Amino acid sequence: VDIFLQQVVNGLTLGCVYAVVALGYTMVYGIIQLINFAHGEVVMIGCMVAFSVMVALAGSGLPPMVIVGAGVAAAVPVCMAVGYIVERIAYRPLRNAPRLAPLITAIGVSIILQHLALLVWSRNFIAFPQIIELRLYHLGTSEHAAAISNVQIAIILASVAMMAGLLWLVHRTKIGIAMRATSQNPLVAGLMGVDINRVISFTFVVGAALGAMAGVMVGTYYGIAHYQMGFLLGLKAFSAAVLGGIGNLAGAVLGGILMGLIEALGAGYIGDFTNVCFLDQFLPGFTEICEASPESSLFGSNYKDVYAFIVLILVLVFRPQGLLGERVGDRA
Amino acid sequence: MTHLSTLKGHPAAKWIGLAMIAAALIALPFVLAMAGTAWVRITNLAILFVLLSLGLNIVVGFAGLLDLGYIAFYAVGAYVYALLASPHFNIHLPWWVIIPMGAAVACFFGVLLGAPTLKLRGDYLAIVTLGFGEIIRIFLNNLSDPFNLTNGPKGISTIDPIRFLGIDFGITTRLGPLVFSEAIKYYYFLLAVVLIVIVVNLRLQNSRIGRAWEAIREDELAARSMGINTRNMKLLAFAMGASFGGVAGGMFSSIQGFISPESFILTESVMVLSMVVLGGMGNIWGVILGAILLSFVPEVLRYTVEPLQRMLFGRSIIDPEVIRMLLFGVAMVGMMLFRPAGLLPSPVRKRELTVTAPP
């Protein structure tokens, strides 16, 4: 198997999911300069709701596309409602409070959502029902060429469609103009007749809807859902948004895809480069370990969750405004 | 007999009050021990949480920086102690060497993490610390192969207890009728440490540094134009909070005798943060109150919610752990919405958090 190409395919798929989640962070940040810590939880709730519906319908004999569609159709409105309620209760009253206050409520809301999900769905993992037959399409003629599955293709196509839809919404519709105006200057936008509260609510709701879709995609990709899945996913997606330049939609997409590639390639290659037998060729002291356990590496794929964080730190050190961002990092 | 109210305002009143509090604190473990040694242990953990909350209060309360991975520094301190005083590497250094080392290592990590992020907006610090808390746990879980540094998820056991002035904190001694169990000994040790930390905190708050932190918290731009090196001051707060966390971690290691990465999950960071928020950010007494209240919440829930559910439904439906976490979340949101300065607000903080800035 062509490992490099395979990892690129996997990374691209994962990156599309990160990009969609990152869009949710970046939209909210762009408009009210708040890190919505609860966004990862919204993604998790989307995934759990969709999975519950799909599990319930799995035995009904309906065609797979209808079942998946029903899951999405259930998850999106639930997440939109969650996004709206969270903004209304936890963030709106604190819009003019000192910066620390909404950050603390954000983490509080995240904890509440996570544990409510725990109450509803218990601690157990929910498995994706076996309704879709996995098909592999080889990218080449030989049996061993890298392959892309139908699920991966669907994820990539759906993400691209959502990104295009969002761009259209923000740049071509009236509410999109209102969103951009609010993000530039809420006070002046208000004076121009924009209903700020409605626009901000709308932003949260759209972000949550994207989150729900992302939840379904990530759940389908890994085949499993859990009440804690939102935390790391959210952290990675936020790092992706920072990498691309927070507040910038194109940046979130770019950052998400890069983050997916970094994670996939990092998991694939850093393990090889830090393999004890590989290191033995250059450094002293690894001979014994190499003989004892030739398979082990210093940083194997069990560290894959660390890379996003390292990228975040590096971006903050060297280019705090992100790849495409123009905002200065330390606006008071 | 003099009426008690005439004592009010009397110069001796303050000292009498202090003496009474001191006597109560000294007698407390023996009273608790009558109800069972478990209660002394719970109290010890509560004091550890007071220590942690006071450390986090420097970061969140004094300097106004949100640290969501505070428990990582606690973990660092705990693992430094465990590695240097256990059969794991067969190193047995005395505690007065390791606890400062733990503080120093935690401080180093604090600087490492704070240096790139503190020049940016506070939000970045929040997310970076959140990530760091998780990363530390991943490393602790995985650094067992190919070199066995942390022993992975199995954790490190039989950690040395503290030995101090010839007193071994790991065994029970009898002094006449008084039985000093290990928990009681640790109680006094922790009490001494916490008193030192409180004094340090009180002195810090009114020092030049403390006032600089306050100025930064209120208005960073104004503080900078007054000649305060804001980045270094924030870094100092962050590093200082981290080293307090490291000290608490070392104590935790020696008290428990066993640590594993499971003790240092995000939940714990959230718990310490809720203590600080509930009690009143920036107010030392408020934070202590918050820490004590929330430390006993799990115990109270265990003795009320579980039996209540069994009585009503015949089985336990909602795990008390879940209720506890929901309570922490609600406490954080509710406090921010309705009483942002905490149960015992510091006067400055109250003014600052209730006056809304123009949009």
Side-chain angles (χ1 to χ4, degrees):
Chain A
V1 178
D2 185 347
I3 293 176
F4 177 76
L5 202 58
Q6 187 64 58
Q7 297 291 8
V8 168
V9 168
N10 295 346
L12 213 58
T13 316
L14 206 57
C16 281
V17 177
Y18 290 161
V20 175
V21 183
L23 282 172
Y25 277 105
T26 227
M27 277 168 66
V28 168
Y29 195 92
I31 210 153
I32 52 171
Q33 281 81 48
L34 166 80
I35 299 179
N36 181 11
F37 282 111
H39 190 59
E41 273 26 271
V42 171
V43 174
M44 176 269 294
I45 288 176
C47 183
M48 298 295 248
V49 169
F51 268 38
S52 305
V53 171
M54 287 191 239
V55 168
L57 291 178
S60 65
L62 290 165
M65 288 311 284
V66 175
I67 297 180
V68 174
V72 172
V76 170
V78 170
C79 286
M80 286 165 110
V82 170
Y84 179 77
I85 294 169
V86 164
E87 195 272 333
R88 198 59 199 264
I89 293 179
Y91 301 148
R92 187 177 294 182
L94 295 171
R95 207 171 288 155
N96 297 328
R99 299 206 52 81
L100 197 58
L103 278 177
I104 290 176
T105 44
I107 190 84
V109 164
S110 165
I111 297 292
I112 293 174
L113 289 180
Q114 210 180 89
H115 287 83
L116 284 179
L118 172 57
L119 276 185
V120 176
W121 286 286
S122 87
R123 269 173 217 283
N124 303 327
F125 287 88
I126 304 180
F128 186 76
Q130 295 289 332
I131 48 171
I132 301 174
E133 195 187 335
L134 204 67
R135 268 201 215 97
L136 292 176
Y137 303 99
H138 290 279
L139 304 169
T141 44
S142 81
E143 250 329 75
H144 299 293
I148 184 165
S149 73
N150 48 353
V151 172
Q152 286 176 317
I153 294 174
I155 288 175
I156 293 174
L157 288 181
S159 332
V160 171
M162 273 187 276
M163 293 166 200
L166 186 70
L167 280 181
W168 174 79
L169 179 82
V170 170
H171 289 281
R172 288 280 178 274
T173 62
K174 206 169 173 189
I175 186 93
I177 296 170
M179 282 163 73
R180 284 183 288 144
T182 310
S183 93
Q184 279 177 5
N185 190 331
L187 200 65
V188 176
L191 293 176
M192 298 296 146
V194 175
D195 184 348
I196 308 279
N197 283 334
R198 208 170 67 90
V199 170
I200 293 176
S201 284
F202 183 76
T203 310
F204 269 86
V205 167
V206 171
L210 289 176
M213 299 288 288
V216 178
M217 294 195 296
V218 76
T220 317
Y221 185 59
Y222 286 123
I224 215 158
H226 187 238
Y227 79 100
Q228 280 180 329
M229 65 187 277
F231 173 62
L232 264 180
L233 184 66
L235 200 64
K236 287 176 190 170
F238 177 79
S239 308
V242 174
L243 172 64
I246 194 143
N248 183 320
L249 295 182
V253 173
L254 178 69
I257 290 173
L258 281 177
M259 195 59 91
L261 289 174
I262 290 167
E263 193 178 309
L265 294 175
Y269 285 102
I270 292 184
D272 290 348
F273 285 130
T274 56
N275 181 281
V276 281
C277 295
F278 181 74
L279 288 176
D280 186 38
Q281 299 163 16
F282 314 104
L283 299 166
F286 285 96
T287 320
E288 278 177 32
I289 308 171
C290 173
E291 279 162 10
S293 53
E295 290 297 306
S296 67
S297 5
L298 288 185
F299 299 102
S301 58
N302 40 359
Y303 287 96
K304 73 178 167 60
D305 294 335
V306 175
Y307 303 135
F309 180 72
I310 293 171
V311 169
L312 176 64
I313 296 271
L314 290 179
V315 173
L316 291 182
V317 174
F318 294 109
R319 201 177 158 82
Q321 72 273 42
L323 294 176
L324 300 183
E326 286 147 31
R327 283 169 191 275
V328 221
D330 58 2
R331 269 200 344 188
Chain B
M1 193 176 124
T2 22
H3 201 266
L4 265 178
S5 63
T6 54
L7 257 175
K8 210 173 182 182
H10 192 275
K14 191 178 157 195
W15 296 107
I16 293 173
L18 277 179
M20 276 160 71
I21 292 172
L25 284 176
I26 289 171
L28 182 69
F30 291 101
V31 179
L32 287 172
M34 277 187 256
T37 319
W39 283 103
V40 187
R41 291 224 173 83
I42 293 166
T43 311
N44 285 350
L45 281 182
I47 301 179
L48 265 180
F49 274 113
V50 170
L51 269 178
L52 276 175
S53 309
L54 285 172
L56 184 62
N57 183 41
I58 296 179
V59 185
V60 180
F62 291 174
L65 307 163
L66 188 56
D67 183 346
L68 295 175
Y70 189 64
I71 217 70
F73 303 117
Y74 186 57
V76 167
Y79 266 87
V80 167
Y81 191 101
L83 292 177
L84 297 179
S86 77
H88 182 58
F89 287 138
N90 217 3
I91 304 173
H92 298 275
L93 295 177
W95 64 273
W96 44 266
V97 176
I98 323 171
I99 286 189
M101 268 172 77
V105 175
C107 178
F108 169 75
F109 275 105
V111 172
L112 203 67
L113 207 58
T117 37
L118 282 171
K119 60 175 194 249
L120 304 169
R121 300 176 32 150
D123 318 26
Y124 286 108
L125 185 74
I127 200 97
V128 165
T129 48
L130 187 67
F132 180 65
E134 193 59 19
I135 298 322
I136 277 280
R137 209 172 56 80
I138 295 177
F139 271 94
L140 292 178
N141 259 325
N142 288 313
L143 281 178
S144 54
D145 174 67
F147 299 107
N148 190 358
L149 183 64
T150 62
N151 211 20
K154 289 195 290 281
I156 299 175
S157 53
T158 54
I159 301 165
D160 298 349
I162 286 174
R163 283 186 193 82
F164 183 43
L165 297 175
I167 308 168
D168 189 334
F169 280 67
I171 51 167
T172 305
T173 34
R174 284 162 204 281
L175 260 181
L178 293 178
V179 182
F180 285 88
S181 65
E182 37 186 306
I184 292 181
K185 286 181 188 170
Y186 272 116
Y187 170 84
Y188 288 121
F189 192 74
L190 282 167
L191 198 64
V193 173
V194 96
L195 282 179
I196 295 169
V197 170
I198 290 174
V199 171
V200 168
N201 266 279
L202 285 172
R203 301 291 301 155
L204 258 180
Q205 194 172 22
N206 293 321
S207 70
R208 205 181 156 78
I209 297 173
R211 280 178 278 129
W213 285 336
E214 198 172 276
I216 292 173
R217 190 184 71 199
E218 292 211 348
D219 190 335
E220 192 168 336
L221 210 61
R224 196 183 301 172
S225 47
M226 288 294 130
I228 296 171
N229 184 336
T230 52
R231 201 201 55 185
N232 284 4
M233 273 306 180
K234 288 200 280 184
L235 200 54
L236 182 67
F238 196 64
M240 217 172 234
S243 18
F244 275 104
V247 170
M251 313 278 295
F252 175 73
S253 247
S254 76
I255 293 177
Q256 296 292 95
F258 165 76
I259 54 167
S260 74
E262 278 305 291
S263 312
F264 310 105
I265 49 178
L266 176 72
T267 310
E268 305 285 318
S269 290
V270 169
M271 189 161 159
V272 180
L273 182 66
S274 346
M275 288 168 178
V276 174
V277 170
L278 181 76
M281 288 178 284
N283 183 339
I284 293 168
W285 305 113
V287 167
I288 295 173
L289 176 73
I292 293 174
L293 281 181
L294 287 189
S295 304
F296 284 100
V297 161
E299 305 309 319
V300 173
L301 287 177
R302 185 177 308 158
Y303 288 105
T304 54
V305 174
E306 280 257 18
L308 195 72
Q309 289 188 40
R310 277 181 208 291
M311 207 173 73
L312 290 176
F313 312 110
R315 65 198 170 91
S316 181
I317 294 173
I318 303 176
D319 187 0
E321 166 69 17
V322 179
I323 301 179
R324 181 172 71 116
M325 291 314 292
L326 282 175
L327 210 67
F328 288 160
V330 171
M332 277 198 267
V333 177
M335 291 306 281
M336 280 300 113
L337 290 180
F338 302 113
R339 208 177 154 89
L343 290 178
L344 282 184
S346 85
V348 185
R349 205 78 170 100
K350 190 175 179 181
R351 191 180 65 218
E352 198 180 310
L353 282 166
T354 42
V355 175
T356 52

